[in-house]
Amino acid sequence: MDQATAVGAPPIENNVDALQDALVEHERRDRLVVQRGLFSSTSPRVPRKMYVDLKGAATATRDSLQLDEGAHADTNTYFGRVAASFWQRWTAVTALRLELRYETTGTARIALRASDARGRKRLILQETVTGSGVLTLEGKLDRFVDGGALWFEADADRGELSLSEVRWTVPAPEHLRPAAVVICTFNRADDCAVTVGTLAADAGAMADIDAVCVVDQGTDQVQSRQEFQDVAAALGTKLIYLTQPNLGGAGGFARGMHEVTSAPGSAHANVILMDDDILCEPETVLRMNAFANMTVKPAIVGAQMLSLSNPQTLHVSAEREVLDEIKAGTLTAGAMMGVDLLKKKQEARFDAGWNGWWTCLLPAEIIADCGLPLPLFFQWDDIEYGIRARFRGHPTVTLPNAGVWHADFHLKDYDDWARYFSIRNGLIVSSIYGRFDGKTMSKYLFRKISELIVSMQYGLAATFIQAAEDFLAGPSFLEDGGQSVLSSIRELRAKYPETVTRPASEAGADADPHTQMDVWDFEPDESREGLVLAKRAVQQFLGKVDGRPVTIPAHYANWWHVSLFSQATVTDSSQGGVRVRRRDKQTALDLTKRAAKVCWRLRKEAPQMKAIYSDALPRITSKENWTRLFGTKG
């Protein structure tokens, strides 16, 4: 038992009764704080310029600024600016008010500035201040339909300037919604304890949060950690800690959604879903919750994902799905991907097709109308829910300047057991919401499996095939919430040696350093890819490929490169090791036959499967089905 484990701590699990009195409408107030002026992160790894850009002698704390004479502070930053365009588009608010407390030994200037969809800046208001007091500046939301933001700048012209209690406010709604955070965790006890602790430590962000619900599905439970016990004591009845069997992310979040929306007073609650292993910015919870309180109609509001390994990098602005290609995420119009937020701003307003549940707010009214998630266990559960809500007319917004840091997707290898869920679940979602044309879908899937086979990724090809076969078996495999398939997929993949990641130092003769593949710029254009794939398949089948054991970097491990060889040691995308792929004619032939068979079935049975899954959706997303899976009575 490590030092982080709480020795002899009393169990706190399944105290769901605490929700009975937790969710209440908050007292009426004149103004609602929708964004705080924060000038540094809770984590030292996040650059200060994500919050404020300082020039001259100046000091920034979490909630205050100190400028020496001649210094300048600019909050046209990721967490400093307000997404005015989104406020004008989705709410009835007509103006945002900046309120701040100042103290100067001389004179200072405070300017309210704005941008448009193309990033062109304009001055809204500017005030010269002396002495000390409270300054209020108001920016109208009347010129931001296509894009743009609001922010403030400060100059200490003569003497020193101190700024504190910076707030952006709007007239408060008649009723302020109850709100609960739901965190799903599985054997990430330390990460989860830190995330809950980060939230609990920010009293301002938590002021309008009535409950924090942790759904623990692991064997190494969060309640065993002393840090979590300390946080539990601080949160008191506000903490709801539930344990259950591992039903995946879908099951963990579904439990929290179910319990929160079943509590008295929850009819208009905001349910904020959050991953356990993020680097949390509590301000994001405040901003999402405030925005959701002001939308014209209940809307799903998502946070943006920022890069944990490079905290100034945005993953994507907003995403949508491409169902005919079983593709979960692609950029929506106007969105950006992989940008350095210290160099580029999100100016143009963009729409979202769905929001990832790393941090996402769901109003209770939408949950009541749409039901609970599909019991997909893992992957596509958040996407399916976003599509379902969209199809039922509920708005979905990915809110700029509200973000959390998450582990980078590009450091996760594609050849993994999780790919089974992405393909199987993608087929399910596509069948319910897409055209699901059998000819188009089967052609696309056979193409992808063929690329894997010529790349000597036989285990991954088998994973794809098994996913398609299970999809065609109908929704009965979802009856257990997806648990049973985990072991069978791992057993299937274990039959294929190239699925095993090996330390690069142990590759030995399998990766002769003198035969490292030359890197070249060849990439077949889209019109020729099919011909190139057919040619590579024939070459692999006949053995007319280079017989040298070559090494190939992950970045260049495309099928049209790897298929030129009979043996290739390919770097894993995680950069933690390598995988040795070897040509096996019989395995390739067997997998091709299986792929052809399942894709032929998919082509013929697509209309039938669309009807089956569409008909099953209401039942398997119902509270009755989920309470059966949870093992609870309701």
Side-chain angles (χ1 to χ4, degrees), residues 526-546:
E526 192 171 337
S527 64
R528 294 183 62 242
E529 277 193 12
L531 294 174
V532 174
L533 179 59
K535 180 180 178 181
R536 295 286 195 271
V538 171
Q539 290 171 331
Q540 279 276 319
F541 181 77
L542 297 177
K544 293 184 177 181
V545 290
D546 194 323

Side-chain angles (χ1 to χ4, degrees), residues 8-73:
I12 57 174
E13 70 263 36
N14 302 323
N15 59 334
V16 72
D17 290 344
L19 274 172
Q20 297 300 307
D21 302 316
L23 300 177
V24 295
E25 287 191 354
H26 296 254
E27 291 184 5
R28 180 74 167 88
R29 61 191 77 165
D30 291 333
R31 307 289 298 181
L32 174 66
V33 175
V34 301
Q35 184 163 318
R36 297 177 297 176
L38 301 178
F39 309 110
S40 66
S41 173
T42 59
S43 170
R45 70 185 299 161
V46 180
R48 186 199 65 213
K49 286 188 177 182
M50 288 286 284
Y51 294 81
V52 64
D53 190 5
L54 299 176
K55 291 181 173 60
T59 302
T61 68
R62 176 74 167 161
D63 56 7
S64 67
L65 286 174
Q66 177 70 41
L67 307 181
D68 290 352
E69 184 172 318
H72 172 78

Side-chain angles (χ1 to χ4, degrees), residues 36 199-208:
R36 297 177 297 176
L199 282 174
D202 193 326
M206 294 296 290
D208 291 329

Side-chain angles (χ1 to χ4, degrees), residues 339-563:
V339 298
D340 186 335
L341 294 166
L342 302 187
K343 298 178 180 178
K344 195 162 187 178
K345 305 294 188 293
Q346 300 173 86
E347 301 288 8
R349 185 176 56 80
F350 44 80
D351 293 321
W354 53 270
N355 283 309
W357 286 355
W358 44 77
T359 300
C360 179
L361 182 151
L362 302 173
E365 296 94 325
I366 293 180
I367 297 173
D369 183 48
C370 295
L372 293 170
L374 267 173
L376 298 176
F377 189 81
F378 178 67
Q379 297 204 0
W380 282 86
D381 49 326
D382 48 2
I383 299 166
E384 184 278 329
Y385 203 87
I387 299 171
R388 194 194 320 171
R390 196 176 80 227
F391 273 42
R392 295 184 69 89
H394 301 294
T396 294
V397 182
T398 302
L399 188 64
N401 318 119
V404 296
W405 292 270
H406 191 282
D408 303 85
F409 290 148
H410 72 269
L411 291 177
K412 298 181 180 181
D413 199 73
Y414 188 81
D415 192 346
D416 185 74
W417 59 267
R419 205 56 48 201
Y420 166 86
F421 290 96
S422 67
I423 298 301
R424 186 202 70 182
N425 297 347
L427 287 169
I428 293 172
V429 177
S430 297
S431 72
I432 297 172
Y433 302 104
R435 294 183 305 131
F436 209 62
D437 174 72
K439 181 179 179 181
T440 300
M441 190 62 69
S442 60
K443 182 179 179 181
Y444 177 82
L445 186 61
F446 187 75
R447 166 71 174 272
K448 289 302 175 185
I449 296 173
S450 298
E451 291 173 0
L452 298 175
I453 293 173
V454 301
S455 301
M456 299 173 286
Q457 289 181 280
Y458 304 126
L460 187 55
T463 304
F464 272 50
I465 294 167
Q466 187 65 55
E469 290 174 344
D470 287 354
F471 165 77
L472 290 170
S476 60
F477 58 79
L478 299 176
E479 292 298 323
D480 69 346
Q483 297 177 81
S484 61
V485 75
L486 277 174
S487 58
S488 63
I489 291 302
R490 288 192 171 111
E491 290 172 6
L492 169 69
R493 290 176 55 80
K495 298 174 183 178
Y496 299 91
E498 85 285 347
T499 62
V500 178
T501 303
R502 300 164 56 181
S505 59
E506 295 180 7
D510 291 332
D512 186 342
H514 300 294
T515 59
Q516 180 163 339
M517 188 192 83
D518 293 331
V519 174
W520 65 88
D521 293 330
F522 168 76
E523 180 175 343
D525 61 57
E526 192 171 337
S527 64
R528 294 183 62 242
E529 277 193 12
L531 294 174
V532 174
L533 179 59
K535 180 180 178 181
R536 295 286 195 271
V538 171
Q539 290 171 331
Q540 279 276 319
F541 181 77
L542 297 177
K544 293 184 177 181
V545 290
D546 194 323
R548 297 175 300 163
V550 299
T551 61
I552 302 177
H555 185 65
Y556 294 98
N558 300 301
W559 62 264
W560 53 83
H561 290 160
V562 181
S563 56

Side-chain angles (χ1 to χ4, degrees), residues 46 92 109 117 122 128 130 148 308 337 348 384 434 439 459 481 525 586 622 633:
V46 180
R109 285 174 294 134
R122 62 183 185 270
T128 298
T130 60
L308 189 59
M337 181 177 186
E384 184 278 329
K439 181 179 179 181
D525 61 57
Q586 189 58 51
S622 66
K633 295 181 180 180

Side-chain angles (χ1 to χ4, degrees), residues 161-371:
L161 171 66
S162 297
L163 298 177
S164 61
E165 299 180 27
V166 179
R167 302 287 187 267
W168 295 86
T169 69
V170 301
E174 188 66 29
H175 301 285
L176 195 63
R177 292 166 164 270
V181 173
V182 173
I183 299 175
C184 169
T185 187
F186 175 74
N187 288 350
R188 286 176 176 154
D190 294 327
D191 289 339
C192 186
V194 169
T195 298
V196 177
T198 301
L199 282 174
D202 193 326
M206 294 296 290
D208 291 329
I209 302 299
D210 304 294
V212 177
C213 180
V214 177
V215 182
D216 194 337
Q217 304 183 115
T219 52
D220 181 15
Q221 294 190 341
V222 186
Q223 67 173 330
S224 69
R225 299 305 197 265
Q226 184 61 55
E227 182 177 2
F228 186 73
Q229 290 286 336
D230 294 342
V231 172
L235 288 174
T237 57
K238 188 176 277 193
L239 177 67
I240 313 300
Y241 182 74
L242 308 176
T243 59
Q244 67 181 28
N246 183 20
L247 297 172
F253 285 127
R255 178 69 184 280
M257 293 161 65
H258 167 68
E259 298 294 356
V260 171
T261 57
S262 297
S266 67
H268 304 290
N270 288 333
V271 183
I272 303 169
L273 309 181
M274 181 177 288
D275 277 355
D276 55 353
D277 60 343
I278 58 170
L279 175 57
C280 177
E281 171 50 83
E283 174 69 9
T284 289
V285 172
L286 182 150
R287 295 182 185 185
M288 293 168 58
N289 193 42
F291 187 83
N293 267 284
M294 301 305 300
T295 54
V296 173
K297 60 182 295 189
I300 296 176
V301 182
Q304 294 183 322
M305 186 182 121
L306 308 173
S307 168
L308 189 59
S309 63
N310 190 15
Q312 66 202 50
T313 301
L314 173 71
H315 173 50
V316 293
S317 300
E319 296 179 273
R320 63 179 176 85
E321 71 288 345
V322 182
L323 296 179
D324 285 345
E325 297 179 8
I326 325 177
K327 186 182 292 184
T330 190
L331 289 178
T332 60
M336 301 184 297
M337 181 177 186
V339 298
D340 186 335
L341 294 166
L342 302 187
K343 298 178 180 178
K344 195 162 187 178
K345 305 294 188 293
Q346 300 173 86
E347 301 288 8
R349 185 176 56 80
F350 44 80
D351 293 321
W354 53 270
N355 283 309
W357 286 355
W358 44 77
T359 300
C360 179
L361 182 151
L362 302 173
E365 296 94 325
I366 293 180
I367 297 173
D369 183 48
C370 295

